[in-house]
Amino acid sequence: MRSVEEQLAIVTAAARAPEPVRLALTESLGLMCAEEVQATRPLPGFPQAAIDGYAVRAVDVGGERPIVARDRGQEQPAKPRAVEGLGPLPVVGEVSAGSGQPLRLQPKQAVRVHTGAPLPALADAVLPLEWSDRGTRRVKPVKVVRSGDFVRHPGDDIRPGDVAVSPNSILGPAQIGLLAAVGRSKVLVYPRPRVTIMSFGSEFVDIDREPGLGQVYDVNSYALAAAAKDAGADVHRVGIIDGEPRRLAEIIEAQLLRSEVLVISGAVGGAGSRRILEVLEGLGRIDTTRVAMHPGSVQGFGLLGEAEIPTFLVPNNPVAALVAFEIFVRPLIGAALGKTTSRRRTVRARSLGHLQSRMGRRGFIRARLMRDAQTQDYLVEGMGGATGAPAHLLAGMGQANALIRIPEHVSEVRPGDVVEVLFLSQGA
């Protein structure tokens, strides 16, 4: 029996990023950048007002020389001092952000400016509204501004040649904003890995049909497709596959050509799985094994096709399939996306009830994670399979927002014991 760590190491070693593609910024969020993006122009590209106020020449409001104070031998900017003996300045115009009308400031004049507005020629400072009497035709300064005060100079943010986004960085909102700021509408990225989901088994029917005797709905292809999309993949749900070996081989080979990851449920465990395993073994290397965990102990992994596509075989039980996906498939998708921390967030929580686990296997028990209203401590309540009840029931999974992870050497958790919990949703 293979440990969870051993199986995970085999899986993640097969991770590879898809070939880079150039996408629009609106489609690039969460993807890994595949190029270095340098700025070709300064940001801002012109002197602009950093605050609402009046564009002035500092010399006209008593701020021609730097005002400093000495603190422990070092010069420090002094607090703005009041203006004495200076009369009001005529306000000769107004400039808003985005204005393309150039203005030229003459000595002893002021221009009303708004945040982001281009500064008139010869203006070298902005007098904030709060430092004036807010006049409309004439403005009287009440505090000094120095040359450069409240002005955004060209290149203050980004200069030509500066690296806006580095290769292998994940594009979040800030990086998308930087790309837009340097004028890039598209960027070279590693796209979302294409994950194909299939269900194998003659007992399955699609949800638009009425199950007959001995038949059940195909739950897994829908649940696993949703899980893969939640993990960041580009998902293709094939649904149910069946038929004679040659037909199965044709279906799987076709999907290998369009996928970076293949997930087949129902291909391990049970008498019917032998037929599809023979087909898969003819397409590449596939290894079925028992992993020291529950549920989902019996599973498979291998590399199929000429491109050696990572292929997962998960049980047909929906709960076991989703647990196997969380522990093994999600990290592979995250690695292909370039994420260094692709696993779920974990916390320590106090158990509210009695839990049982199988000695020698790592338990993953569906649970509801909560916070104590007074102490803000995490509390967790085990659900299906927690106290010896059947672990295969899907209803408990629908109510769960977390998985309790119980170590291999622990078979029992008592109320009040602290356990490790994996988030399944951000609402916990």
Side-chain angles (χ1 to χ4, degrees), residues 200-203 241-243 248 265-279 316:
F200 170 75
S202 57
E203 73 272 27
I241 60 170
D242 204 355
L248 284 173
S265 70
V268 287
S273 64
R274 187 66 247 169
R275 177 161 51 100
I276 193 169
L277 282 175
E278 291 176 354
V279 172
N316 61 8

Side-chain angles (χ1 to χ4, degrees), residues 17 28 30-34 167-171 188-190 335-339:
S28 302
L31 300 181
M32 184 167 63
C33 187
N168 301 325
S169 58
I170 302 300
L171 298 180
L188 193 67
V189 295
Y190 294 102
L337 285 168
K339 297 180 179 179

